Amino acid sequence: QVQLVESGGGLVQAGGSLRLSCQASGRTLTSYTMAWFRQAPGKEREFVAANSRRSGSTYYGDSVKGRFIFSRDNAKNTAYLQMNSLKPEDTAVYYCAADLGIITSSIYNGEQYDYWGQGTQVTVSS
């Protein structure tokens, strides 16, 4: 069993930066694919970024490519999402997710992840 706790959300002006953290407990993260998703009010959940434990590769959603950076510190059992050049359309609740057995082709699909955090709100003002 994995418990995930996100932190680092808040209110920021457009063009600013935030770094989200996802602290895991219960298991070490090295065996897990880790991902970030987001959901804005009235919208479907959207894939943001993920790091595959199988391939070691990192994947990004089209809307955040070039602006967001996924990283993980296995020693701290923590994953991060550095968000730069934030836009008002980045406003959402951001969720951390983890899965042990997900295959790369399914990495974008939130339904495939077994473990989720409670979410952290990010609000970008114009």
Side-chain angles (χ1 to χ4, degrees), residues 91-103:
T91 295
V93 177
Y94 284 70
Y95 297 92
C96 175
D99 196 87
L100 187 59
I102 197 168
I103 60 175

Side-chain angles (χ1 to χ4, degrees), residues 64-115:
V64 306
K65 279 181 184 175
R67 300 188 298 122
F68 290 12
I69 302 170
F70 181 103
S71 63
R72 58 199 296 172
D73 185 337
N74 290 329
K76 295 183 178 180
N77 227 26
T78 302
Y80 302 96
L81 185 68
Q82 177 67 42
M83 305 187 295
N84 301 319
S85 302
L86 283 161
K87 304 175 181 180
E89 50 264 44
D90 293 318
T91 295
V93 177
Y94 284 70
Y95 297 92
C96 175
D99 196 87
L100 187 59
I102 197 168
I103 60 175
T104 301
S105 60
S106 296
I107 207 167
Y108 305 94
N109 183 355
E111 299 297 325
Q112 299 298 316
Y113 289 81
D114 286 337
Y115 304 104

Side-chain angles (χ1 to χ4, degrees), residues 24-38:
S25 60
R27 292 286 189 273
T28 58
L29 287 184
T30 52
S31 300
Y32 287 78
T33 290
M34 300 297 299
W36 290 94
F37 289 80
R38 68 186 182 186

Side-chain angles (χ1 to χ4, degrees), residues 37-60:
F37 289 80
R38 68 186 182 186
Q39 189 165 21
K43 295 188 176 181
E44 293 187 353
R45 183 170 55 197
E46 178 186 8
F47 171 80
V48 176
N51 175 252
S52 170
R53 77 168 187 93
R54 292 175 182 263
S55 67
S57 297
T58 301
Y59 305 85
Y60 295 95

